[in-house]
Amino acid sequence: MSLANGRPYLAIPGPSVIPERVLRAMHQGSPNIYEGPLIDMVASLWPDLRAVAGTTGHVAMYIGNGHAGWEAANANLFNRGDKALVLAVGQFGLSWANSARAMGIEVEVLDFGKSAPVDMNRVEATLRADTGHKIKAVLTTHVDTASTIRTDIPALRAAMDAAGHPALLAVDCIASLGCDEFRMDDWGVDVMVAACQKGLMTPPGMAFVWFSEAARLRCGKSDLATPYWAWGPRAEPEEFWQIWDGTAPTSHLYGLREALDMIGEEGLPNVWKRHHTLASAVWAAFDCWSAGNPAIGMNVAEPAHRGWSVTAARFGAPHATRLREWCERQAGVTLGIGLGMAPSTDPAYHGFLRVAHMGHVNAHMTLGALAVMEAGMSALAIPHGQGALAAAAQVVAKGAL
């Protein structure tokens, strides 16, 4: 017998759970895209998009996913043949590097593996060695969605400054915006990329690029920025249609407006605290489970290097896949695959999974997911330590004070 009948819970790292308020806001007919309420509503998005990123800079919106955001950033940051330094701490750093390379950009990758943070000394040394300042920009992920490693952006900015290098700093916040604390201007970030389907709680379909005035001035004549990807007309349009180089994604805009309202009502610092508390509850559970089985553990050893939106974990093959399948089929909870940890053809692939706690997620959803995971481990006879649920509940109790 399955106990999955009822409302399912999608605990994967994007697309995240869509709030009912957002769904209701999207459920309306197409508006006039030439004048009227839509134009006024879109004008209200810009201040809130700047606020959630922590910037007073420019914002460009695109119809697309996170990969579209990468391409938009690449197209405006670089000319063909320019050089990028990519700091990779997992699958998505490497993927951004591949995206840039495919566009004709020269790419140097500092690969720190799948479980270790960026070594700032290596970054500083690499930039110091670039005496001709060929590197135009440093690209990195704030939180790599696959490895769940969080990069210390203020420390990275400090390393770049210590090297005395003029490279721009571009950060992928696709998995972290609206989940982890991020302050674009305060941390010296020049370009930031995100999408709507994670912390912004809107169905996939919109990407965003924030860019500083310094980035605008230095990247105004890219030979890769075709009319569709050029960020200038989108950020400073003379006419409404230029924001998307065509028809506006009207339903998504209604949903995004509602999602930003929800973030504003909760307060961004409270949003960050909620995500940190729920992440800490997941970590507490894993600490207990791993005490009874060394094959179980989080991918990132140090809490300071873990993202607050998603937790990558190992269970030992084939138990991660067995557990994921049991949780979905028997209890209605869908966990994320262990993306990038091993090829899908490798038996080791079945030893990894991810637990998301991003966006429209609260205590009972996270505690419920952990309880289902423990039930699955018991049903599948996967050895594990005891006390996980009590430990997670204690974190939630303290966080709610």
Side-chain angles (χ1 to χ4, degrees), residues 205-226:
M206 291 192 69
F208 312 93
V209 179
W210 292 257
F211 55 101
S212 66
E213 180 65 8
R216 186 189 73 82
L217 293 173
R218 288 182 55 184
C219 305
K221 298 180 180 179
S222 169
D223 61 13
L224 290 173
T226 60

Side-chain angles (χ1 to χ4, degrees), residues 137-164:
V138 175
L139 315 183
T140 194
T141 52
H142 183 215
V143 174
D144 189 288
T145 322
S147 68
T148 69
I149 294 170
R150 181 160 58 103
T151 298
D152 186 339
I153 301 301
L156 174 56
R157 178 76 264 175
M160 295 173 66
D161 291 346

Side-chain angles (χ1 to χ4, degrees), residues 54-93:
T55 185
T56 59
H58 307 279
V59 190
M61 289 192 271
Y62 296 85
I63 300 173
N65 54 21
H67 290 70
W70 287 342
E71 187 150 336
N74 296 340
N76 288 279
L77 274 168
F78 302 102
N79 287 290
R80 188 176 300 276
D82 282 350
K83 185 174 182 178
L85 176 65
V86 177
L87 315 179
V89 290
Q91 178 67 41
F92 286 90

Side-chain angles (χ1 to χ4, degrees), residues 136-322:
K136 187 173 184 181
V138 175
L139 315 183
T140 194
T141 52
H142 183 215
V143 174
D144 189 288
T145 322
S147 68
T148 69
I149 294 170
R150 181 160 58 103
T151 298
D152 186 339
I153 301 301
L156 174 56
R157 178 76 264 175
M160 295 173 66
D161 291 346
H165 199 287
L168 296 168
L169 174 57
V171 181
D172 168 346
C173 291
I174 295 168
S176 62
L177 183 66
C179 303
D180 286 73
E181 180 177 0
F182 193 86
R183 303 179 185 274
M184 180 175 170
D185 290 354
D186 290 348
W187 295 355
V189 175
D190 296 292
V191 175
M192 174 182 158
V193 175
C196 68
Q197 72 269 23
K198 298 181 189 286
L200 295 185
M201 305 178 290
T202 305
M206 291 192 69
F208 312 93
V209 179
W210 292 257
F211 55 101
S212 66
E213 180 65 8
R216 186 189 73 82
L217 293 173
R218 288 182 55 184
C219 305
K221 298 180 180 179
S222 169
D223 61 13
L224 290 173
T226 60
Y228 188 82
W229 293 115
W231 62 26
R234 291 172 181 266
E236 298 179 301
E238 295 180 1
E239 298 182 14
F240 184 74
W241 67 270
Q242 291 177 301
I243 300 172
W244 296 276
D245 194 40
T247 305
T250 55
S251 294
H252 277 75
L253 291 168
Y254 289 130
L256 178 65
R257 177 64 274 164
E258 195 69 25
L260 290 170
D261 285 345
M262 292 176 69
I263 291 172
E265 290 163 11
E266 185 176 359
L268 191 55
N270 293 324
V271 172
W272 294 336
K273 181 180 178 182
R274 171 167 54 86
H275 281 86
H276 186 225
T277 299
L278 296 179
S280 298
V282 173
W283 305 342
F286 270 96
D287 286 343
C288 293
W289 289 333
S290 65
N293 182 355
I296 297 175
M298 286 170 288
N299 182 56
V300 186
E302 293 295 327
H305 302 311
R306 297 174 190 158
W308 298 351
S309 58
V310 57
T311 297
R314 52 181 169 78
F315 274 81
H319 298 311
T321 294
R322 294 177 65 221

